[in-house]
Amino acid sequence: MLARNFTRIARLSRGFATHAPSTSASLPATLHLKTGQSFVGRSFGAPTSIWGETVFSTSITSYTESMTDPSYRGQILVFTTPLIGNYGVPHNKTPVDDKDVGVVLESERIQCSAVVVADVAEKFSHYTAVESLSSWCARNGVPGITGVDTRAITRLLRDQGTTLGRLAIGADASLPPPRAEEYWDPTTENLVAQVSTKTPYELNPTGDVKIAVLDFGAKANILRSLVRRGAAVTVLPWNFDFNKIRDQYDGLFLSNGPGDPNHCMEAAMHLRRTMQEWDKPIFGICMGHQVIGMAAGLEAYRMTFGNRGHNQPVLALASSGSIKAGRVYVTSQNHQYALKLQDPFPAGWEPFFINCNDSSVEGIKSTAESGKKVWGVQFHPESAGGPLDTIEMFTDFLAECRAHKLHLNIPRSQPMDAAKVVPNLAHLAPQRVAVAA
């Protein structure tokens, strides 16, 4: 009886919010934009001043997934939702098996440079939460600013476009704004090389279909979506020449990633050869979509403020698998660059999706006449978080891989001999997941 009462008390305690004062709430903070505006507030998280590219996200939930998305590398992330941190941060470890890939969130650590919120929650409440947003940021060395008008900042970014920024903390907050030439532009660096895995590794090696993933900064839920659908996944560095080992695989997947896709021209040239000589299915998301487009002969360009959020409507222009032409799908997105819509399209290719708000290209696909099975989408079918309107595109991709495998009369995959796949693969730690920061 006594033990049962203690259990009830423990369960009841989960209903109360945990007070989590900011780890550096007493420090002043100022966000400077290269366009000349400054916003004064107070800091939370790490008491460190940083530089970055200032962007905004219209996501109304899943701040932990957004902050751990490698596509936000080098960016000062402004949340349009006023209250951030109210459900805390979960423990970020899972098993590595046929269901999970080692992390709960999108990578092992916070990837954005800083966060900007109108009101950071000083109390958090969720049954999976183990720490506050502020303490999580402090532990990862990531600063934040709260008490600023994020509506005004967002309007500036929409009107003027994404701009460079400086988040000044503590004594730095009272200094004059930086000169224009002092701002650091992260897109001048190859951010993909920073977040991509340095060595290949495997997930779910006993899966019935073998998929190679080129890691431009893969979100964990992309890998999770493949593994949970029975795929044996080998994750490769972004510039690995897949042509050397392509005959060992049933399909190729190209992940999302940060920064300017033109830094990934080496991968695009490798992929161009793959698409010319290999007839197995290929699927790309976000950066992977842009690399497919560049390999096909399309040009990538920088958008004014990009599309970031869980509420981007896209119109399907063609049917493929679960996708039906003429239907509008609501999608989760995070990108600053897009492929140019041109007429005529490269031979063997056609537009797949178009954005309903700004008419930017949201997807391309190989034509039926080309004899190829290649798709690329600018949005995230796996979301995490966001709508799951297009999640079955993973099922479609793997179904095509399995169909192609059966057509070739290839026997069911055996557990991979890692030493024969790529050099040193057998020595990888089994807990390797998602992205090497």
Side-chain angles (χ1 to χ4, degrees):
M1 178 64 73
L2 183 61
R4 187 180 300 127
N5 288 335
F6 274 123
T7 301
R8 289 174 178 171
I9 292 172
R11 289 176 179 171
L12 181 61
S13 68
R14 293 185 181 274
F16 297 106
T18 302
H19 187 69
S22 174
T23 57
S24 57
S26 61
L27 295 178
T30 303
L31 174 65
H32 299 292
L33 302 182
K34 187 179 179 180
T35 46
Q37 301 84 8
S38 297
F39 298 84
V40 178
R42 67 183 190 278
S43 72
F44 65 93
T48 306
S49 300
I50 58 90
W51 305 88
E53 182 183 30
T54 312
V55 304
F56 69 89
S57 171
T58 58
S59 304
I60 61 174
T61 185
S62 306
Y63 54 84
T64 48
E65 286 80 3
S66 293
M67 292 169 63
T68 52
D69 181 351
S71 294
Y72 279 115
R73 183 78 165 199
Q75 296 181 332
I76 301 172
L77 178 55
V78 180
F79 286 104
T80 59
T81 299
L83 181 63
I84 297 292
N86 53 309
Y87 55 84
V89 179
H91 179 64
N92 193 27
K93 292 293 182 182
T94 67
V96 179
D97 52 26
D98 61 352
K99 299 297 181 184
D100 289 299
V101 296
V103 291
V104 174
L105 304 177
E106 295 309 299
S107 66
E108 296 171 331
R109 66 179 302 275
I110 298 176
Q111 298 287 347
C112 61
S113 294
V115 289
V116 181
V117 304
D119 184 12
V120 66
E122 293 188 353
K123 294 182 179 181
F124 65 90
S125 179
H126 194 274
Y127 76 99
T128 64
V130 297
E131 65 182 321
S132 69
L133 175 61
S134 181
S135 65
W136 186 47
C137 287
R139 190 163 53 80
N140 281 266
V142 175
I145 182 173
T146 186
V148 294
D149 189 347
T150 53
R151 297 169 301 174
I153 298 172
T154 301
R155 292 195 64 175
L156 283 170
L157 296 177
R158 283 186 63 90
D159 294 342
Q160 302 174 170
T162 296
T163 187
L164 302 180
R166 163 75 164 172
L167 181 53
I169 306 294
D172 293 345
S174 59
L175 296 177
R179 299 186 301 274
E181 63 272 15
E182 293 182 292
Y183 284 90
W184 170 65
D185 185 356
T187 61
T188 60
E189 300 183 5
N190 188 344
L191 300 177
V192 165
Q194 296 178 20
V195 299
S196 176
T197 184
K198 304 303 183 289
T199 52
Y201 62 96
E202 293 183 278
L203 298 166
N204 191 34
T206 59
D208 72 316
V209 61
K210 294 183 179 180
I211 305 299
V213 174
L214 286 181
D215 176 18
F216 298 98
K219 293 174 62 181
N221 205 43
I222 287 176
L223 305 178
R224 193 180 296 117
S225 297
L226 293 170
V227 164
R228 289 185 176 180
R229 286 167 174 78
V233 174
T234 302
V235 184
L236 304 170
W238 71 276
N239 58 349
F240 187 91
D241 188 356
F242 174 66
N243 294 296
K244 296 177 180 179
I245 58 171
R246 66 191 187 197
D247 291 339
Q248 302 177 38
Y249 293 92
D250 304 308
L252 174 64
F253 190 98
L254 290 80
S255 82
N256 64 294
D260 187 342
N262 290 295
H263 288 302
C264 298
M265 194 57 68
E266 180 183 359
M269 292 301 99
H270 290 325
L271 180 64
R272 178 172 293 179
R273 179 186 165 197
T274 303
M275 294 192 302
Q276 290 172 346
E277 302 175 355
W278 203 59
D279 62 352
K280 296 179 183 179
I282 300 173
F283 185 24
I285 286 176
C286 201
M287 177 66 75
H289 157 72
Q290 294 164 12
V291 171
I292 290 174
M294 293 191 301
L298 293 168
E299 183 181 346
Y301 70 98
R302 181 181 174 86
M303 304 176 75
T304 303
F305 51 81
N307 289 327
R308 299 176 179 86
H310 298 163
N311 49 7
Q312 292 288 329
V314 300
L315 173 65
L317 303 179
S319 294
S320 179
S322 60
I323 301 302
K324 306 304 178 186
R327 177 179 169 182
V328 172
Y329 298 85
V330 181
T331 66
S332 176
Q333 299 191 20
N334 174 17
H335 64 98
Q336 185 69 51
Y337 291 80
L339 295 175
K340 283 189 176 180
L341 181 62
Q342 65 181 55
D343 187 20
F345 234 52
W349 295 90
E350 62 183 342
F352 193 8
F353 293 93
I354 195 165
N355 191 290
C356 297
N357 291 330
D358 59 20
S359 298
S360 60
V361 176
E362 290 286 357
I364 61 173
K365 63 183 290 292
S366 56
T367 62
E369 295 75 20
S370 71
K372 302 291 184 178
K373 293 289 185 179
V374 185
W375 311 263
V377 294
Q378 189 61 70
F379 50 85
H380 285 274
E382 85 292 346
S383 292
L388 297 174
D389 290 26
T390 56
I391 185 65
E392 289 306 312
M393 293 191 76
F394 282 91
T395 305
D396 298 340
F397 169 62
L398 293 179
E400 288 287 351
C401 292
R402 290 184 173 102
H404 193 279
K405 182 177 178 179
L406 290 173
H407 178 69
L408 294 177
N409 195 29
I410 299 175
R412 181 181 176 88
S413 300
Q414 299 300 315
M416 285 186 281
D417 183 344
K420 294 181 180 179
V421 178
V422 283
N424 300 321
L425 184 59
H427 302 294
L428 292 174
Q431 68 272 20
R432 277 293 285 183
V433 291
V435 175

